[in-house]
Amino acid sequence: MVKDAGQLYTIEGIAASVLILTSAYLMLSATTVFTPGETHIYDMQLEQLGNDVLAVMDTAETWSSDPYPKSELEIYVENGDETGFGERFLYLANSTGTSPEDNLDYKATIFAREKATNELIPIHFGGSEYYRENAVMVTRWVNVDNTSPNLAGADPRQQTVLLEVVLWRV
């Protein structure tokens, strides 16, 4: 014969299972898991932005009557025009649909062969000093005709130089 104690344990077990299922349902349906973006996501976006800007600047005008048209990046580097490069680079970087308060800064350096020792030398090519964290580096190879030497210290000949831009948000 079944005693009253067995019925009490059964009712208690059913009540506990209903309570557990109800608590689990309320917890899972009411809680939103929010994971803030990590720093490297913003760094990758900034690096892609810098690469895109350099690619746009390194695209030559196809409608030119010159059979071998130069890109504006080649013209800036050949002429040593730091100011023109900086204005155009920041204009393109800040006009890509990002928010108006997205303020970018950069430091550009050109690596070319020195005429005396034939070693690579860094040539400052505009921008400000970098004193912050979370900067990204973008690079681009640029063909230049440096026969009228506008790059101080670089070998006055046709060569390919490396343009390195360190880019960060202010």
Side-chain angles (χ1 to χ4, degrees), residues 53-73:
V53 168
L54 287 180
V56 167
M57 291 178 71
D58 199 23
T59 303
E61 300 291 342
T62 57
W63 53 265
S64 174
S65 61
D66 186 6
Y68 302 105
K70 292 186 179 189
S71 67
E72 63 180 323
L73 186 60

Side-chain angles (χ1 to χ4, degrees), residues 56-133:
V56 167
M57 291 178 71
D58 199 23
T59 303
E61 300 291 342
T62 57
W63 53 265
S64 174
S65 61
D66 186 6
Y68 302 105
K70 292 186 179 189
S71 67
E72 63 180 323
L73 186 60
E74 290 173 330
I75 294 169
Y76 288 138
V77 172
E78 281 182 5
N79 295 334
D81 187 5
E82 297 177 15
T83 306
F85 168 78
E87 289 173 359
R88 184 70 171 153
F89 183 84
L90 290 177
Y91 172 75
L92 289 173
N94 285 321
S95 63
T96 56
T98 56
S99 60
E101 63 271 359
D102 191 14
N103 198 5
L104 300 175
D105 204 357
Y106 76 100
K107 179 182 179 182
T109 308
I110 295 174
F111 291 93
R113 292 272 176 202
E114 186 179 27
K115 54 186 166 187
T117 62
N118 201 27
E119 292 185 12
L120 284 177
I121 58 167
I123 302 169
H124 178 73
F125 196 64
S128 58
E129 285 298 317
Y130 172 70
Y131 296 112
R132 300 177 58 89
E133 293 182 12

Side-chain angles (χ1 to χ4, degrees), residues 40-62:
H40 68 85
I41 294 172
Y42 300 117
D43 291 345
M44 287 188 305
Q45 290 173 341
L46 188 60
E47 183 177 359
Q48 185 63 48
L49 175 67
N51 282 323
D52 289 346
V53 168
L54 287 180
V56 167
M57 291 178 71
D58 199 23
T59 303
E61 300 291 342
T62 57

Side-chain angles (χ1 to χ4, degrees), residues 4 8 11 13 19 29 32 34-36 45 49 55 77 80 104 116 135 162:
D4 292 337
L8 186 62
I11 293 173
L19 182 63
S29 66
T32 302
F34 176 70
T35 306
Q45 290 173 341
L49 175 67
V77 172
L104 300 175
L162 179 67

